[in-house]
Amino acid sequence: MKIAICDDCLSDIRNLEKLILESTEHPEDITFYDFLNGEALLDSHETFAVIFLDIKMKTEREGTEIAESIRLADMDTLLVFYTAYDYPASRIFRVQPYSYLLKDAPAKELKSALQRILQEAARRDRPCHLLVKYAGTIFTLKPADILYICIQDKGSAIYLTEEKADEIFRISERKQAPKELFVKSGVKLDSYYEQLKDFGFIYAKKSYIINAQYIVARSRDSVLLKDKTELTVSRSRKKQFDDALGRYWSTRYRKDEKEWT
């Protein structure tokens, strides 16, 4: 497992490496890549299972800006802020970090969080791909390519991220992408849910499941997705949905579940 640590303090890097090795049963499987600034990390052009990123560094660009550049190139990497500062969630939410660790937290707490992070990285290493056909071509979709899936006709409609939709429509030599970026599938929604439930997909209504990765706000009756799509949550599924979303967010942002529900 390739793990990047980006921090301008070498002693903090070494301390985190020690904690990571103490938090895994297979330290021999881990390879560390150390970076003293964000530009060096971006210039490496490597793909990492996890990136630990300090926010406040003695460089022109803060960690949040580096994280935005990382997200433009890779939506799948587990991004974890490892910092001495307790930043407001509004400043870090847009880059969708998996977790947020404070350097001065007790070692026991940090190790517990690191175990969850490493387990998630290992789980994501087991690929989950959906096959869909569009314009005579078969494409593979990863969970991170999908905003939500809803029932359509006798199958489903898979709504894609703008990046994935651009890729599919470009390959298909389509002159103009449709207003709604989705592909149709003959697979039933329940079947997709069984494949994707361990990747953050939640039933909001009987008719659709939403990728929690792209939920940026939750109001009383609806959620707002990263692409500004607003989807309602049915009254009958509200508690189940909020419980699942709370678990998802609390894992990533170390908040109590009750703050989000």
Side-chain angles (χ1 to χ4, degrees), residues 121-141:
R123 183 186 68 79
R124 291 192 181 191
D125 194 46
R126 302 190 296 270
C128 173
H129 291 120
L130 307 182
L131 297 179
V132 297
K133 187 175 182 180
Y134 181 80
T137 303
I138 295 177
F139 296 90
T140 60
L141 300 179

Side-chain angles (χ1 to χ4, degrees), residues 35-247:
F35 301 94
L36 294 176
N37 60 75
E39 297 299 337
L41 170 61
L42 296 176
D43 289 343
S44 71
H45 301 294
E46 290 277 354
T47 299
F48 301 103
V50 190
I51 297 175
F52 291 90
L53 183 62
D54 193 7
I55 293 181
K56 193 74 172 178
M57 292 184 282
K58 297 175 183 177
T59 57
E60 292 184 2
R61 301 176 68 187
E62 284 197 338
T64 51
E65 295 179 73
I66 298 299
E68 288 176 352
S69 296
I70 291 170
R71 279 291 177 245
L72 286 174
D74 188 351
M75 286 301 301
D76 296 332
T77 296
L78 282 183
L79 185 60
V80 178
F81 284 120
Y82 178 64
T83 181
Y85 301 90
D86 194 358
Y87 280 74
S90 59
R91 289 197 58 187
I92 63 173
F93 196 90
R94 64 182 180 273
V95 296
Q96 301 174 40
Y98 180 78
S99 191
Y100 185 102
L101 307 180
L102 290 174
K103 293 180 179 181
D104 61 356
K108 183 178 180 181
E109 179 182 326
L110 287 171
K111 286 182 182 180
S112 177
L114 288 169
Q115 286 173 358
R116 292 194 300 270
I117 291 165
L118 295 174
Q119 288 169 359
E120 175 66 13
R123 183 186 68 79
R124 291 192 181 191
D125 194 46
R126 302 190 296 270
C128 173
H129 291 120
L130 307 182
L131 297 179
V132 297
K133 187 175 182 180
Y134 181 80
T137 303
I138 295 177
F139 296 90
T140 60
L141 300 179
K142 295 180 292 185
D145 295 327
I146 303 168
L147 295 171
Y148 66 99
I149 306 176
C150 67
I151 293 174
Q152 186 175 85
D153 299 328
K154 295 183 179 180
S156 306
I158 303 173
Y159 284 78
L160 307 169
T161 63
E162 185 176 350
E163 297 80 9
K164 190 62 179 182
D166 286 345
E167 175 189 330
I168 288 179
F169 299 138
R170 185 173 62 252
I171 292 173
S172 302
E173 297 182 352
R174 192 181 178 100
K175 293 182 179 179
Q176 184 175 2
K179 184 177 181 180
E180 295 183 312
L181 306 180
F182 68 89
V183 291
K184 295 180 180 179
S185 169
V187 178
K188 299 287 188 182
L189 182 62
D190 285 347
S191 177
Y192 280 136
Y193 176 70
E194 288 302 315
Q195 297 177 66
L196 295 168
K197 63 183 179 182
D198 293 333
F199 293 86
F201 282 73
I202 311 170
Y203 265 108
K205 279 188 171 183
K206 184 179 180 180
S207 57
Y208 51 77
I209 56 176
I210 301 174
N211 188 349
Q213 176 179 345
Y214 295 113
I215 296 175
V216 298
R218 171 76 169 102
S219 61
R220 173 181 288 185
D221 300 316
S222 64
V223 293
L224 182 67
L225 303 189
K226 183 182 178 182
D227 70 337
K228 308 303 182 185
T229 296
E230 186 173 6
L231 298 172
T232 58
V233 178
S234 68
R235 185 177 301 177
S236 63
R237 291 185 180 269
K238 181 181 183 301
K239 185 180 186 308
Q240 179 183 358
F241 180 87
D242 285 343
D243 286 347
L245 184 60
R247 288 192 297 271

